[in-house]
Amino acid sequence: MNIAIIPARGGSKRIPRKNVRSFCGRPMFSWPTAAATPSGLFDHILVSTEDADIADVARGAGAE
């Protein structure tokens, strides 16, 4: 079983809330998830975060 673990902190010092900010039309965090999902390399894509908003965005992008 192959698992991708994507860490996503909620507290960025340079760009506040960067993981949920829009970048080219979608939240910044959705980009690595969108790359990992169709690659076919991973059985599960997990997100490690302490932030509820990031967790919601991750679930919406297909991560667990």
Side-chain angles (χ1 to χ4, degrees), residues 5-46:
I5 300 174
I6 303 173
R9 281 185 47 214
S12 174
K13 292 181 182 180
R14 290 186 186 184
I15 304 171
R17 312 287 301 147
K18 73 177 175 192
N19 286 308
V20 293
R21 281 187 152 193
S22 182
F23 179 74
C24 292
R26 53 186 202 198
M28 183 115 50
F29 182 79
S30 70
W31 290 95
T33 306
T37 302
S39 74
L41 297 173
F42 306 106
D43 299 315
H44 297 280
I45 301 170
L46 304 179

Side-chain angles (χ1 to χ4, degrees), residues 38-60:
S39 74
L41 297 173
F42 306 106
D43 299 315
H44 297 280
I45 301 170
L46 304 179
V47 177
S48 174
T49 186
E50 80 290 355
D51 189 291
D53 290 337
I54 294 173
D56 290 340
V57 170
R59 283 187 208 101

